[in-house]
Amino acid sequence: MTTESLGAEQGRFVADVAAKLSGFLGAQQETMSTISSDVIPLMGSITNLVTGGKRLRALMCYWGWRGAGGESAHPDIITAGCALELFQAAALIHDDIIDRSDTRRGGPSVHKRFSQLHEREGWALDSERFGHAAAILTGDLCLSFSEEAFTQIGARAASGTSARRIFNLMRAEVMAGQYLDILEEVAGPVRDRAGAVKRAQSIIRFKSAKYSTEHPLALGGALAGASKELLQGYSAFALPLGEAFQLRDDVLGVFGDPGTTGKPAGDDLREGKRTVLVGFAINQAGAADSAYIDSMLGRQDLGEAEVAEIRRIIVDCGALEATEAMIEELSNEAFEALDRLPLAELPLTALRQLAEAAVSRAA
């Protein structure tokens, strides 16, 4: 096995998923166009969102499939990758509405695009409300497409199969995790501060970690007929990896370079996210600094000076150091579990590269 052969196989899969998405959404657009030309912007928003991106979930699914003996370039795993990308897009559309985030990958988020459409056309009533409503419907449509794509796999993904159970559980857990996230934003300030980090860990596990890494990897394995033992091994590797991945995302949400992340500096703070990083800060900072963070979280008018002050508190109280230590601990746990997996060299190397990129990324 060479780096070139791994890269070539992975590149072919990514290209195949992109082609599948293009064909699938093209067919959907033809159907939607028979309803009205006015609904075409919904399709354009979905197509724009699934074009590009890291394809982390699709790739985890692919190497879970290959690790369990699945053939390269098989139509079923390409379709599964397509379904995961559509589900990811639906989650991002709804997440940006919930978080009041106006940017996604360096451009306007879907709800912001619809608000801008409203303003350009000079339509009546409130542009922001229209943007949110249209984006909710776009996200729902994308979620429906994800289910339709997954069903196209056929027998491997039929009701009662391990793959179907994983796909269903993944979607339900993300919704539950999203609710825990918005609940913590409003209830966190009056809840037990000592439990803030533990609650934030639960949120990242169900809102992000499981559907970013654990479930996609297991889904690919299940589609290829993986044993129960292999699926358990996949989870032992992918769950701590997913948690480390999200913790890195939370650090970037406060300290990341906007030119690299594609989001304004401190955007997570304006969105009021009570992450593990924030939980550590609230617990470890002095009373005045802790109260300052509480008073600033979720303020849409948070300026650069306030963001800089919160960053200072996070660093000075050791919250950033504690979060980085947790990332390292989870990463070590993931790589140790990876070393125990009974995989061939190609999928093992591919998973190692994906894992390294996930925890050391700058965007």
Side-chain angles (χ1 to χ4, degrees):
M1 189 275 294
T2 64
T3 302
E4 290 78 12
S5 63
L6 190 159
E9 180 171 335
Q10 189 159 283
R12 281 196 302 271
F13 172 70
V14 169
D16 286 343
V17 169
K20 176 70 177 179
L21 282 166
S22 178
F24 179 88
L25 290 175
Q28 298 293 344
Q29 179 152 331
E30 286 185 19
T31 300
M32 297 294 285
S33 296
T34 64
I35 299 171
S36 169
S37 60
D38 284 336
V39 302
I40 290 177
L42 276 70
M43 296 303 305
S45 295
I46 294 172
T47 300
N48 179 72
L49 202 53
V50 301
T51 301
K54 300 180 183 71
R55 306 285 195 220
L56 172 64
R57 291 153 190 85
L59 285 168
M60 292 294 289
C61 187
Y62 179 73
W63 291 115
W65 160 274
R66 292 287 279 131
E71 301 172 17
S72 64
H74 194 285
D76 285 355
I77 193 60
I78 295 167
T79 302
C82 174
L84 283 170
E85 289 296 312
L86 288 166
F87 177 70
Q88 158 76 346
L92 291 178
I93 293 168
H94 287 156
D95 194 46
D96 284 341
I97 298 168
I98 292 168
D99 291 340
R100 295 170 295 182
S101 179
D102 287 343
T103 59
R104 170 62 60 182
R105 296 173 181 165
S109 53
V110 171
H111 66 271
K112 189 65 176 178
R113 289 179 185 276
F114 278 110
S115 294
Q116 292 170 344
L117 173 64
H118 180 287
E119 291 165 359
R120 285 197 306 271
E121 297 297 326
W123 291 335
L125 304 179
D126 184 70
S127 63
E128 183 178 10
R129 185 175 183 277
F130 171 78
H132 285 176
I136 289 170
L137 293 171
T138 304
D140 288 348
L141 182 63
C142 197
L143 191 61
S144 174
F145 288 162
S146 174
E147 168 62 24
E148 184 174 339
F150 191 71
T151 302
Q152 287 181 358
I153 295 171
R156 295 179 194 266
S159 177
T161 62
S162 178
R164 169 54 69 176
R165 180 190 63 78
I166 293 168
F167 191 70
N168 289 347
L169 180 62
M170 175 187 71
R171 293 179 298 170
E173 285 182 343
V174 169
M175 305 310 168
Q178 283 278 25
Y179 176 73
L180 291 177
D181 192 23
I182 62 172
L183 176 65
E184 186 64 14
E185 288 181 14
V186 297
V190 298
R191 282 181 160 180
D192 174 28
R193 287 176 176 267
V197 171
K198 185 176 181 180
R199 292 193 300 272
Q201 285 181 282
S202 181
I203 290 168
I204 66 172
R205 172 169 289 191
F206 293 103
K207 178 186 174 183
S208 177
K210 282 180 168 286
Y211 106 95
S212 294
T213 53
E214 184 190 20
H215 289 320
L217 184 65
L219 182 63
L223 287 169
S227 67
K228 181 180 178 181
E229 291 73 23
L230 181 55
L231 292 179
Q232 288 173 340
Y234 277 175
S235 292
F237 156 65
L239 182 56
L241 173 65
E243 292 179 352
F245 173 80
Q246 184 56 46
L247 287 172
R248 175 60 61 209
D249 195 63
D250 292 342
V251 170
L252 291 172
V254 177
F255 292 94
D257 175 11
T260 303
T261 64
K263 304 198 81 169
D267 215 34
D268 279 5
L269 302 174
R270 295 183 188 89
E271 293 167 8
K273 289 183 179 293
R274 290 187 172 267
T275 61
V276 167
L277 180 68
V278 169
F280 274 131
I282 287 174
N283 276 296
Q284 295 177 188
D289 284 344
S290 180
Y292 181 80
I293 292 176
D294 257 340
S295 68
M296 291 292 128
L297 280 177
R299 284 185 49 173
Q300 295 293 292
D301 61 347
L302 207 62
E304 291 182 10
E306 290 85 2
V307 170
E309 177 63 8
I310 295 173
R311 284 174 171 167
R312 181 198 65 76
I313 294 170
I314 289 173
V315 172
D316 288 354
C317 77
L320 178 59
E321 183 180 2
T323 304
E324 290 289 354
M326 186 177 286
I327 292 172
E328 183 176 4
E329 180 182 350
L330 288 165
S331 299
N332 289 339
E333 181 183 345
F335 285 116
E336 287 170 6
L338 179 61
D339 288 337
R340 295 192 296 270
L341 286 175
L343 301 180
E345 185 182 1
L346 186 66
L348 189 65
T349 302
L351 287 173
R352 186 176 302 280
Q353 289 182 1
L354 285 175
E356 289 171 349
V359 297
S360 63
R361 66 203 170 91

